[in-house]
Amino acid sequence: MRNLLALVALTVFAAGTQAQTAHHNGDHPAVVVQRLQAQAGYDYQNKFYPHPAWLYLSAEAPHPMMDHPAVIVARREQERQAMLAASSSDAQRYAHK
């Protein structure tokens, strides 16, 4: 019985000593945190980064794939010139009356 009690006391004392050596007294809290994070491993749920080619919000509607940006700009300029010509012809028509 006495041997069993001594064995339990030795086990509890050894576990307490081991817990104290795991935390180095006098370390800065940031050092302790970094040490714990290094032991924790990689957390896949916490570090989720989307792929750069992911969908994004655009203020403009998507263009057909066959339209080059230069073609789109030229078409807009032609439409603008047509609107200016139509508005100037209307102004001239009403000015002669």
Side-chain angles (χ1 to χ4, degrees), residues 18-39:
Q18 187 179 23
Q20 288 179 354
T21 58
H23 180 282
H24 303 285
N25 289 335
D27 280 348
H28 192 273
V31 174
V32 174
V33 168
Q34 288 297 322
R35 188 179 301 128
L36 292 175
Q37 285 181 351
Q39 293 172 356

Side-chain angles (χ1 to χ4, degrees), residues 5-51:
L5 186 60
L7 181 65
V8 170
L10 182 63
T11 307
V12 170
F13 177 74
T17 306
Q18 187 179 23
Q20 288 179 354
T21 58
H23 180 282
H24 303 285
N25 289 335
D27 280 348
H28 192 273
V31 174
V32 174
V33 168
Q34 288 297 322
R35 188 179 301 128
L36 292 175
Q37 285 181 351
Q39 293 172 356
Y42 190 80
D43 183 14
Y44 290 96
Q45 297 294 327
N46 189 20
K47 295 176 176 69
F48 178 74
Y49 301 106
H51 191 271

